[in-house]
Amino acid sequence: MSATASLSTSSPRGATAHLADTLKAGHVYRREDLARLSTAVDRHLRELVSMGKLQKLAQGIYHAPKQSKFGLLAPADEDVVKAFLRDNDFLVFSPSSYNMVGLGTTQLYNQTLVYNHRRHGIFRLGNRQFDFRMKPRFPKKLSLEFLFVDLLNNLEELAEDRDVVLTQARNKLPSFDRARLQAAVDSYGNMATRKRLREWIDG
């Protein structure tokens, strides 16, 4: 069911109704979360999905849709990723965020990256596709220093003129707080990025 549809007016009965009453609109659930509340969870889940009370995002992952005046609201990316990974330690962002650094990049990307410690690969969850990448370290939230370093890490993947971006990056270097930038390089930079920045600073 699409996020612009309306909730079904069908009313669940009996045990299915009891399970439906526990659902909180907008929340993402794993099957095991709901299995504790049902003696026939798979049948009840199928019934709730057919009634529009739940949407199946992936195997064992469900969303209780929330209605707005514009239709059903999609689940938050962070809630979907948390349920998929069974983990709170991840960073969700789009490569479009690199445009915030001020290097003249302008591309908008229909891509969602998930830096994490558990899964690697591209997975479709609901109507969204997520690019999961295992990383040894990543921040809790985005910063300009992290985005600067991560942009250089992923330069070959971007739809930008590589030489122009590198020139802009080198010119931008003095605008950063040296200590914060060095900390980001040490924590998140790959070998090529560390070498490049060391040459720029020493040069």
Side-chain angles (χ1 to χ4, degrees):
M1 182 180 295
S2 71
T4 57
S6 296
L7 286 172
S8 168
T9 56
S10 301
S11 297
R13 298 178 180 179
T16 307
H18 174 71
L19 184 59
D21 288 341
T22 69
L23 301 176
K24 295 182 180 179
H27 283 227
V28 176
Y29 296 92
R30 291 198 62 90
R31 178 188 178 279
E32 57 260 35
D33 300 329
L34 301 173
R36 306 185 189 100
L37 307 172
S38 169
T39 56
V41 66
D42 293 318
R43 175 166 60 83
H44 294 153
L45 287 173
R46 286 194 298 271
E47 292 174 357
L48 292 173
V49 168
S50 69
M51 294 172 184
K53 306 296 183 182
L54 283 175
Q55 294 176 334
K56 187 173 182 178
L57 302 180
Q59 186 65 36
I61 303 177
Y62 298 84
H63 172 232
K66 186 173 185 178
Q67 183 78 56
S68 77
K69 63 181 180 180
F70 301 109
L72 300 184
L73 299 177
D77 287 348
E78 288 76 10
D79 293 340
V80 176
V81 170
K82 178 181 177 181
F84 179 72
L85 290 175
R86 293 188 178 95
D87 189 25
N88 292 315
D89 193 8
F90 57 83
L91 178 69
V92 180
F93 71 105
S94 166
S96 301
S97 299
Y98 295 143
N99 297 342
M100 298 166 53
V101 181
L103 303 186
T105 57
T106 58
Q107 292 289 333
L108 297 178
Y109 297 86
N110 185 24
Q111 181 184 20
T112 303
L113 300 176
V114 183
Y115 287 2
N116 73 102
H117 301 301
R118 290 175 176 262
R119 302 296 294 269
H120 190 85
I122 295 176
F123 297 89
R124 178 166 290 278
L125 304 174
N127 294 325
R128 298 287 309 283
Q129 187 168 280
F130 296 84
D131 186 347
F132 286 78
R133 301 185 181 188
M134 291 183 65
K135 299 284 184 178
R137 290 174 298 279
F138 44 83
K140 293 293 185 182
K141 60 182 181 179
L142 297 178
S143 68
L144 291 180
E145 290 80 13
F146 166 75
L147 288 170
F148 181 79
V149 171
D150 203 60
L151 181 154
L152 294 176
N153 287 346
N154 297 317
L155 188 59
E156 301 299 335
E157 299 182 22
L158 304 183
E160 306 279 357
D161 186 303
R162 180 178 180 274
D163 292 334
V164 171
V165 172
L166 286 174
T167 298
Q168 294 285 358
R170 187 165 189 171
N171 292 338
K172 185 77 174 180
L173 201 59
S175 70
F176 286 98
D177 177 274
R178 179 65 64 87
R180 287 201 298 267
L181 180 60
Q182 189 61 56
V185 174
D186 292 343
S187 295
Y188 315 121
N190 61 26
M191 290 183 63
T193 295
R194 294 185 186 195
K195 181 176 183 292
R196 176 174 284 124
L197 288 173
R198 187 163 56 246
E199 290 173 350
W200 288 352
I201 292 171
D202 294 341

